[in-house]
Amino acid sequence: MALAVLILTLAAAAMAFIRLSPSDPALWHLALDPRPLNIATPSPDQVTTLPNGAYADLPAAPDQTQALLAKLDGIALASPRTSRVAGSAETGRITWVTRSAFWGFPDYTTAESTPQGVTIYARQRFGKGDWGVNAARLAAWIAGLNA
């Protein structure tokens, strides 16, 4: 009985730690270049799965990137358990956090205007693999852009 109580207490503490960990914009929005290093350039609008996240380039004319970011922001904010951490379409960079339903694991997605369009990089905060959830979310967001 004592072992079961200890296991439940540790699980509750782990869940509380994950759910209550603050999202520091300085770490997740400003200090991280959204283009992951050492990956092959994916085809436009195609999601590249990474070990800890996903990446995509959305081509757009320079005068259309702000509108593309604004539309992406609307799609992101309409997604379950997603909120904006920092940025705006007007500043050319937005970072969102999406939390898993049960544990509340945070995944961060940053989208940034580039001269070629918009770069999107989604990554997890905890763990070593995201089981493809970031790639699936990016694919759904891109499908929403093209709808």
Side-chain angles (χ1 to χ4, degrees):
M1 177 69 165
L3 181 60
V5 170
L6 177 63
I7 290 172
L8 287 174
T9 302
L10 290 175
M15 182 181 269
F17 174 78
I18 291 166
R19 283 193 176 271
L20 301 175
S21 294
S23 294
D24 182 1
L27 178 63
W28 296 101
H29 180 66
L30 299 175
L32 181 66
D33 184 349
R35 182 180 297 276
L37 301 176
N38 301 323
I39 67 165
T41 303
S43 301
D45 291 335
Q46 296 298 309
V47 175
T48 298
T49 302
L50 304 170
N52 67 338
Y55 172 86
D57 278 320
L58 307 177
D63 63 340
Q64 296 299 312
T65 59
Q66 185 174 339
L68 183 59
L69 270 177
K71 188 172 181 183
L72 185 62
D73 189 39
I75 291 168
L77 293 176
S79 299
R81 300 171 307 281
T82 300
S83 60
R84 190 181 310 113
V85 174
S88 67
E90 293 77 22
T91 62
R93 181 178 231 174
I94 306 172
T95 298
W96 304 272
V97 62
T98 304
R99 292 188 174 271
S100 64
F102 181 72
W103 279 94
F105 280 105
D107 291 329
Y108 294 89
T109 305
T110 300
E112 182 177 42
S113 293
T114 69
Q116 296 78 33
V118 172
T119 295
I120 311 172
Y121 178 37
R123 66 262 183 220
Q124 67 188 45
R125 177 171 179 180
F126 298 107
K128 294 185 186 251
D130 73 349
W131 298 358
V133 297
N134 282 296
R137 184 173 37 262
L138 280 190
W141 289 4
I142 291 169
L145 285 171
N146 297 325

